[in-house]
Amino acid sequence: MCKRAITFFLCLAMTICCAIPAFAEDLSTPDDAFPEYPEPESKYLQDAEALYDQALALYEEKTGYSSFYGNCGTFISYQLHELGIDDYLGGYNGNQWYDAYENGETFGDFTALKYESDLGVRTLLNSYESLSYVLISYPHQTGYTDENPGAGHAVLLYHISDGLVYFTESYAMYGQKEGVAHAWEIDRLLDTYESWYGTPIGAVWFSDGTDEPSFIPRPPQDGAHANVSFPDNGILQDIEPGTDVEAFLAAYEAEDEAFLLRTATGEEAADDGIVCTGMILCRITEDEEERLLLAVRGDVNGDGHADTTDARLVLRMAVGLSESTVQSLIIAAGDLNNDGSLTTADARLLLRNAVHLSE
C-alpha cells in the first residue's frame, strides 16, 4: 500500500473521536433584517384557539382539570392527539419532546421531520412560504440556573406564513389568559423563547407533504454557476466551496427583481464574504421576499469551506455517532457521491479533496 493511502486511512481513523464543531451561535438580528409584516390573519388565530379548546375539553374529560396550568408537555400531547398526529396522552418534559420522535417516522398522513439546534429551527421556519404543526423543544424552564435547569419547555407552532407564527401557550402570556392565540414574527418568537428557555434542542415538523419551499429560482444569468442544481426540495445545492457572495449574487440580478443572501440568523451576508451552507437566497420583488436554502458542496459545518472538519462530521454521522444538524440540508452539502445519504464513502471523498489527494 502506498504511503499516501496509509496516511489517509490513519487520518480517517483518528478523526472519529474528534469533537464536532458547533454552528455559530450569534443570534443578534438587526431591526431591519426582514421587511414589514402584514396584519395577522384572523383565521389562523381562530383555528389555533379552536385547537386549544378541543385539547382542553378532552383533558378536562379525562382528568377533571379545567386548565393546563402551564404543563407544556401535557398540552403538546393533547394538541397532537386532536390533530390526528399522535395518540399518546401523557406528556413528556419539555426537553424530551425532540427525542420522542424518529426522523421520518409516520403517523397517518403525517411524517416527522427533525431539525436540530437553533440553526435547524431557523432554517426550517424561514424556508417555506407557509407550513403548519412545528414542535420546538427547549432545554430549560423560565428562571433556570446551571444548578436547576428544570424540565425544559415545548411549544407547538400551529401555523407559519407571511413571516408570522401562530401559536397558543399552556400559560397566560402578557396579561392574556391561557390559550389565547398569538401571532409573532419568526425572529421575535425564536429570540424571546431562547432568552426564556435557552437555545432550542430542535424542532419536529409534522408534515403532510403539501407544503412547498418558498421558491425555486430561475437559473443564474449567462450560464454562471452552471453546475448548480435546482432540485424541488427547496435547497439550491452543488455550490462550490469558497464562492464569493458578491459574484454569486451578480449572476442572479435582473431588472425587475433583486437578490440578496441572508445568514441563518437573518442578517444580510457581507459582499466580501463567501457563500456558506445554511445561508438563504432571497428574491425581493415589490411586495414580497421569497427564500431558498443554499448548500455548499462539502460544507457540512456552515463555514463556507470543505475541509477535514467537515470530513470528521460526515464520518461521525455515517457511523451513527451524530445526527445530522439540519437533516436534508446537511445531506445536500455532504453527499459527495450523490447516492442520497451520508456514508463513509462521502467522508473519504471529502477528506481526499481537503488534503488534495483527489485525481
Side-chain angles (χ1 to χ4, degrees):
M1 185 179 292
C2 70
K3 184 177 180 180
R4 287 200 305 179
I6 294 174
T7 302
F8 165 73
F9 284 110
L10 285 175
C11 291
L12 193 62
M14 291 172 63
T15 58
I16 196 169
C17 296
C18 295
I20 301 175
F23 279 86
E25 296 293 338
D26 180 12
L27 301 175
S28 58
T29 302
D31 292 338
D32 61 349
F34 294 103
E36 291 185 5
Y37 292 89
E39 290 295 320
E41 294 193 35
S42 60
K43 176 184 184 301
Y44 295 129
L45 293 172
Q46 294 166 0
D47 290 350
E49 289 191 359
L51 176 60
Y52 167 83
D53 292 338
Q54 294 166 12
L56 181 60
L58 180 62
Y59 183 58
E60 187 170 8
E61 174 188 328
K62 290 187 172 295
T63 66
Y65 293 114
S66 59
S67 169
F68 286 103
Y69 297 107
N71 190 330
C72 65
T74 300
F75 182 38
I76 292 290
S77 69
Y78 276 78
Q79 288 179 96
L80 295 181
H81 181 278
E82 290 304 293
L83 291 169
I85 293 174
D86 195 341
D87 287 333
Y88 173 64
L89 289 177
Y92 302 105
N93 290 339
N95 52 20
Q96 295 174 323
W97 275 102
Y98 179 76
D99 291 328
Y101 297 99
E102 296 293 330
N103 188 50
E105 190 175 6
T106 56
F107 302 86
D109 295 330
F110 298 92
T111 300
L113 302 174
K114 299 180 70 173
Y115 294 77
E116 188 179 357
S117 78
D118 175 73
L119 176 62
V121 176
R122 289 178 184 271
T123 297
L124 170 64
L125 300 193
N126 283 295
S127 298
Y128 286 79
E129 195 70 29
S130 67
L131 70 163
S132 301
Y133 315 145
V134 175
L135 190 165
I136 304 180
S137 185
Y138 289 89
H140 307 310
Q141 64 187 28
T142 305
Y144 68 90
T145 64
D146 291 339
E147 294 75 23
N148 182 29
H153 186 70
V155 59
L156 181 68
L157 310 183
Y158 176 79
H159 185 75
I160 303 98
S161 63
D162 294 324
L164 293 178
V165 180
Y166 297 84
F167 68 104
T168 58
E169 264 294 1
S170 56
Y171 56 85
M173 296 179 68
Y174 297 108
Q176 296 178 308
K177 66 178 183 178
E178 171 188 315
V180 170
H182 304 274
W184 287 12
E185 296 90 347
I186 292 172
D187 279 349
R188 177 192 175 190
L189 181 133
L190 295 179
D191 291 343
T192 300
Y193 270 62
E194 177 165 330
S195 71
W196 290 345
Y197 305 116
T199 303
I201 299 168
V204 182
W205 172 27
F206 298 100
S207 171
D208 63 3
T210 61
D211 294 299
E212 296 290 340
S214 294
F215 77 104
I216 302 296
R218 54 176 168 71
Q221 304 297 301
D222 302 322
H225 314 302
N227 294 324
V228 173
S229 59
F230 296 82
D232 59 3
N233 65 351
I235 300 173
L236 185 66
Q237 60 192 85
D238 295 326
I239 300 166
E240 285 299 312
T243 296
D244 181 77
V245 167
E246 187 173 18
F248 183 85
L249 288 174
Y252 287 91
E253 293 297 341
E255 183 176 340
D256 59 345
E257 57 189 356
F259 287 84
L260 61 83
L261 282 182
R262 298 197 187 280
T263 67
T265 58
E267 299 169 332
E268 185 172 346
D271 286 341
D272 59 355
I274 62 174
V275 179
C276 303
T277 294
M279 281 186 171
I280 304 164
L281 176 62
C282 304
R283 180 174 63 190
I284 301 174
T285 59
E286 183 176 343
D287 51 19
E288 65 180 343
E289 175 174 315
E290 299 177 315
R291 304 170 186 177
L292 187 78
L293 285 173
L294 302 185
V296 174
R297 187 168 177 79
D299 172 29
V300 181
N301 69 344
D303 65 0
H305 302 284
D307 51 29
T308 55
T309 298
D310 299 294
R312 287 197 296 266
L313 186 50
V314 170
L315 181 60
R316 289 180 64 87
M317 293 176 188
V319 299
L321 293 182
S322 175
E323 291 188 2
S324 168
T325 303
V326 194
Q327 304 294 340
S328 57
L329 178 62
I330 296 303
I331 292 175
D335 180 21
L336 269 64
N337 64 359
N338 299 312
D339 66 356
S341 62
L342 296 184
T343 65
T344 54
D346 297 307
R348 182 175 183 274
L349 284 171
L350 221 171
L351 187 56
R352 288 182 64 86
N353 291 340
V355 297
H356 308 293
L357 292 180
S358 296
E359 297 179 358

